[in-house]
Amino acid sequence: MTALRRVFAGGKGLRKRGPEHVALDGVDLVVDAGEVHGLLGPNGAGKTTLCKILSTVLLPSGGMAKVLGHDVVTHTAQVRTSMGIVFGGERGLYGRLTARQNLKFWGALHGLHGKQLRTRVDALLDRVGLRDRADDRVEAFSRGMKQRVHLARGMVGDPALLLLDEPTTGMDPVAAKDFRALVGELRAERRTVLITTHDMVEAEQVCDRVSLIDSGRILATESPNALSEWITRFERVDALVPPELVSRLRTLPGVGSVSTSDDGRTRFETTEEGVAAQLVRSLVEAGVTTVTTSKPSLEEVYLHVFGGNGMAVRR
């Protein structure tokens, strides 16, 4: 995609006169064939809007986007048949139908019939761990189980590209682990996967590359290892520290900001990898007995790295 924009009119009702909202602001992004690519950002960053444009649900306001060589505006039919979509939540499932009936319905829309359809549905139910609940109504499923049906639905057409928007929403840890294993299988099959998430751990475990998005703009595209290094670099150390020791430690190379809270605890924020461990050693050697370390949130890391262009915490 190149210079992709999406602007929503402001206001409500038929006569919309409020300020416009820019959901995507000149997005440039290339996802390689066979790659698992993460789109990482907070709620409201533009992830879902981007997914809707790629899946031809929304038209872009400007720029261009192609899916497997097909333009999303001029070749919508080719785009739709080449991708599977998982938007998550409650959308797109029929609660009064069973899991099997839901998948048969969607499979039929993809042109599958008879034995081929039955075989595909059975294989998908096995793959997402729902064989034993295949003939139960979806309305009785937990949120995590519904998400598994969503995943199966996204794969029913045997797509070359899977677009997964917050796919582990509502899943318990076991189901989320199974999902990550499934993404590994999709990678081995050389399918292209675009996954949106605000979960750094998920992005690190399943993605080949990750693009950071905020306020409708791509801030950077990096490997998960690079993101982990950023987070490690900005570790924090909290302790009850005598004032004279605070003065000495704040001069150490790699110590960024130093602040003291109302309860008297001092927080040291680091800017280089390994400095947190050095701070802990110095504190223990000085007789400080209660020391804790923590990693910053991804939003805080972005603020360190990108300054005013980083992610802002939304209220």
Side-chain angles (χ1 to χ4, degrees):
M1 61 199 77
T2 305
L4 194 65
R5 284 178 56 82
R6 174 65 196 196
V7 179
F8 292 98
K12 297 181 179 180
L14 295 176
R15 302 179 68 182
K16 298 181 178 181
R17 294 186 176 179
E20 292 182 334
H21 169 62
V22 180
L24 296 176
D25 188 9
V27 170
D28 295 313
L29 180 64
V30 175
V31 178
D32 296 331
E35 177 184 15
V36 178
H37 195 103
L39 197 61
L40 185 63
N43 294 332
K47 304 188 301 295
T48 297
T49 300
L50 180 58
C51 289
K52 288 182 176 180
I53 289 176
L54 293 178
S55 59
T56 74
V57 174
L58 283 176
L59 289 172
S61 303
M64 178 190 66
K66 290 186 176 182
V67 173
L68 301 176
H70 304 297
D71 189 280
V72 297
V73 176
T74 60
H75 297 92
T76 56
Q78 294 91 329
V79 171
R80 290 171 182 173
T81 57
S82 64
M83 71 160 53
I85 307 165
V86 180
F87 278 134
E90 303 294 325
R91 297 167 292 172
L93 297 179
Y94 297 98
R96 294 188 178 184
L97 299 182
T98 67
R100 189 188 306 278
Q101 289 170 335
N102 267 275
L103 295 182
K104 282 187 173 181
F105 171 75
W106 288 102
L109 292 181
H110 281 274
L112 301 176
H113 303 284
K115 183 178 179 181
Q116 183 186 23
L117 177 59
R118 292 192 298 272
T119 301
R120 177 71 56 79
V121 168
D122 286 344
L124 289 173
L125 288 167
D126 280 337
R127 195 166 196 178
V128 299
L130 288 175
R131 166 73 79 159
D132 294 340
R133 301 292 301 274
D135 297 309
D136 293 346
R137 286 186 175 185
V138 168
E139 64 186 2
F141 285 2
S142 67
R143 188 171 183 179
M145 291 174 66
K146 289 177 181 177
Q147 194 67 355
R148 295 190 194 193
V149 180
H150 272 298
L151 287 169
R153 194 200 82 179
M155 294 186 291
V156 75
D158 196 26
L161 167 67
L162 266 171
L163 198 160
L164 310 178
D165 190 19
E166 304 283 358
T168 56
T169 299
M171 285 188 178
D172 59 50
V174 174
K177 181 180 178 182
D178 291 342
F179 159 76
R180 290 164 187 156
L182 173 60
V183 173
E185 295 173 9
L186 297 173
R187 177 191 286 110
E189 295 171 3
R190 297 297 297 164
R191 298 183 197 266
T192 305
V193 180
L194 178 63
I195 174 173
T196 76
T197 182
H198 57 263
D199 185 342
M200 179 61 208
V201 174
E202 182 170 272
E204 184 177 4
Q205 291 185 0
V206 304
C207 296
D208 299 309
R209 291 190 302 155
V210 177
S211 291
L212 316 179
I213 185 171
D214 183 41
S215 300
R217 298 187 301 273
I218 299 293
L219 304 180
T221 297
E222 298 285 351
S223 70
N225 286 340
L227 297 184
S228 296
E229 289 173 3
W230 287 355
I231 288 179
T232 301
R233 186 191 315 165
F234 295 110
E235 278 187 301
R236 303 172 300 200
V237 178
D238 294 275
L240 286 169
V241 187
E244 63 276 9
L245 184 56
V246 172
S247 299
R248 179 165 63 87
L249 293 179
R250 72 163 65 242
T251 63
L252 288 176
V255 173
S257 64
V258 178
S259 59
T260 302
S261 61
D262 293 338
D263 63 2
R265 294 181 65 84
T266 298
R267 165 166 291 182
F268 300 89
E269 296 193 3
T270 65
T271 59
E272 296 178 13
E273 189 172 357
V275 176
Q278 183 181 351
L279 279 170
V280 170
R281 285 194 299 269
S282 298
L283 289 168
V284 172
E285 290 170 358
V288 178
T289 56
T290 304
V291 182
T292 59
T293 62
S294 61
K295 297 182 184 298
S297 68
L298 198 57
E299 289 87 347
E300 291 171 310
V301 173
Y302 292 164
L303 288 173
H304 280 298
V305 175
F306 296 105
N309 293 323
M311 290 186 179
V313 178
R314 287 164 170 75
R315 301 295 181 185

